[in-house]
Amino acid sequence: MMTGLHFDIVLVTGATGFIGRWLLLELTANGVEVCALIRNPEARLPELRAWVNARGGDGAKLHAAAFDLSDPDLGLNDEGRTWLARAEAVYHLAARFDFGMPLEATRRDNVEASSRLVELLAGSARLRRLVHLSGYRTEGKEARELDVNDARALSRFYRAHGAYEGSKVEAHYRVAEVAARHDVPLTRISPASVIGDSRSGETTQELGLAETLQRLHARQLPVLPGNRESWLPVIAVDTLAALLARVPGDADSLGGHVVVLDERTPSLRELIALAARHMNVPAPRFSVPVGIVRCLPMALTGVHPEALTFVSSDRYDARPVTALASRVGVKLPDIETSLKRWIDFLVATDFGQREPDGRATTQRAA
């Protein structure tokens, strides 16, 4: 049986993003008062409340205050600082996410802002848990061996993996350092590639694996990067949200790091074959080593070189997420069914170009 939520007031950064929206839905549906720390809160709160209400959450439980990753003080005003002092749990989901981003701005928003948030939480009398969202590649072989305090090694990692992945891995370690220094109760959660809601397939994320499926659907994916061992683990967004919502009440995860993935995810080649059968299009017949694809023009491959670092044969320890799910009563849904529902939603909405009712989409907030 899924456990309840044993806290009353929560802060969420990155609340308008894909994972953030489903977390707001899960929290408010369970009676938790939530303050979303976002840019332009007056303009964006009504849409967020309507979105949450339409999916069974409680928009009346949702509030908002100003937040800006690029500001040295995170753009917090007096209202935001008051919510920060009242919060029993803080979820830091906000990050600059894209490929090919400038390094300085990406580090500012993903590394320095994350460390600053931990510092602001130091000494909070009410805080029971800071939940920091990393990414599953923090458990890749190179990331595990990285010493972020070795400037040369860190610089090499950024050159090899790009600004986004590099900054997320660096932030993963920096946040732990600052939290330990200031005695801030921390849990780091690293989700796999996040797919749509396991029940409806709904998503607001069209980057990453969804882009590959879009090219497959358009019959523009002649070859697949990687090899037979390449694996890109996934997790359904509603499952991730249910687990995230219960982390602050889980004593065993305090101070820990959990990679949230479904170990039943098929290999990348098998996943693409499944998608091709489901969409009734040809699957790529050949795989090409990542090193070769990286040397080809992006106009030919349709894949940004930074995205290729996620195509790996690395495997990840699923025991921590299995134990967490068991403790808090969250059951992982059937992976093949979840994948097919997500694919159906992507196709029905023309990969983010239309709403489910057929209307053209407006630009979604990040």
Side-chain angles (χ1 to χ4, degrees), residues 273-288:
L274 180 155
R277 289 193 300 272
H278 193 62
M279 294 188 289
N280 196 27
V281 297
R285 295 180 60 190
F286 305 103
S287 294
V288 178

Side-chain angles (χ1 to χ4, degrees), residues 50-65:
W51 190 94
V52 164
N53 283 333
R55 289 156 183 81
D58 184 356
K61 294 282 187 182
L62 183 58
H63 313 273

Side-chain angles (χ1 to χ4, degrees), residues 273-352:
L274 180 155
R277 289 193 300 272
H278 193 62
M279 294 188 289
N280 196 27
V281 297
R285 295 180 60 190
F286 305 103
S287 294
V288 178
V290 168
I292 294 177
V293 178
R294 189 177 283 117
C295 295
L296 298 174
M298 185 175 162
L300 177 63
T301 66
V303 181
H304 195 284
E306 285 186 25
L308 292 170
T309 65
F310 288 82
V311 180
S312 165
S313 58
D314 287 338
R315 294 298 187 267
Y316 309 90
D317 187 359
R319 288 173 296 180
V321 68
T322 300
L324 172 63
S326 176
R327 289 195 303 270
V328 301
V330 173
K331 183 178 180 181
L332 272 62
D334 178 73
I335 188 63
E336 183 170 330
T337 302
S338 297
L339 283 165
K340 288 179 177 178
R341 287 172 177 168
W342 175 51
I343 293 165
D344 287 341
F345 184 89
L346 288 171
V347 172
T349 57
D350 195 16
F351 295 86

Side-chain angles (χ1 to χ4, degrees), residues 13-14 69 92-98 101 109-110 114 133 164 167-168 366:
T13 74
L69 288 171
H92 184 42
L93 314 184
R96 178 186 280 252
F97 175 40
D98 205 348
M101 299 184 295
D109 291 359
N110 292 355
S114 298
L133 202 74
Y164 173 70
S167 66
K168 290 297 288 182

Side-chain angles (χ1 to χ4, degrees), residues 136-137 139-140 144 190-193 209 224-235 259-272 287 290 307-319 321-322 332 335 339:
Y136 75 99
R137 292 294 291 155
E139 283 296 307
R144 288 198 310 270
S190 292
S193 184
L209 185 55
L224 190 64
N227 55 43
R228 289 183 180 275
E229 302 301 317
S230 296
W231 191 49
L232 202 159
V234 303
I235 191 71
V259 178
V260 177
L261 56 85
D262 193 320
E263 63 181 335
R264 301 167 299 176
T265 306
S267 71
L268 181 59
R269 177 180 288 191
E270 291 169 342
L271 191 157
I272 295 301
S287 294
V290 168
L308 292 170
T309 65
F310 288 82
V311 180
S312 165
S313 58
D314 287 338
R315 294 298 187 267
Y316 309 90
D317 187 359
R319 288 173 296 180
V321 68
T322 300
L332 272 62
I335 188 63
L339 283 165

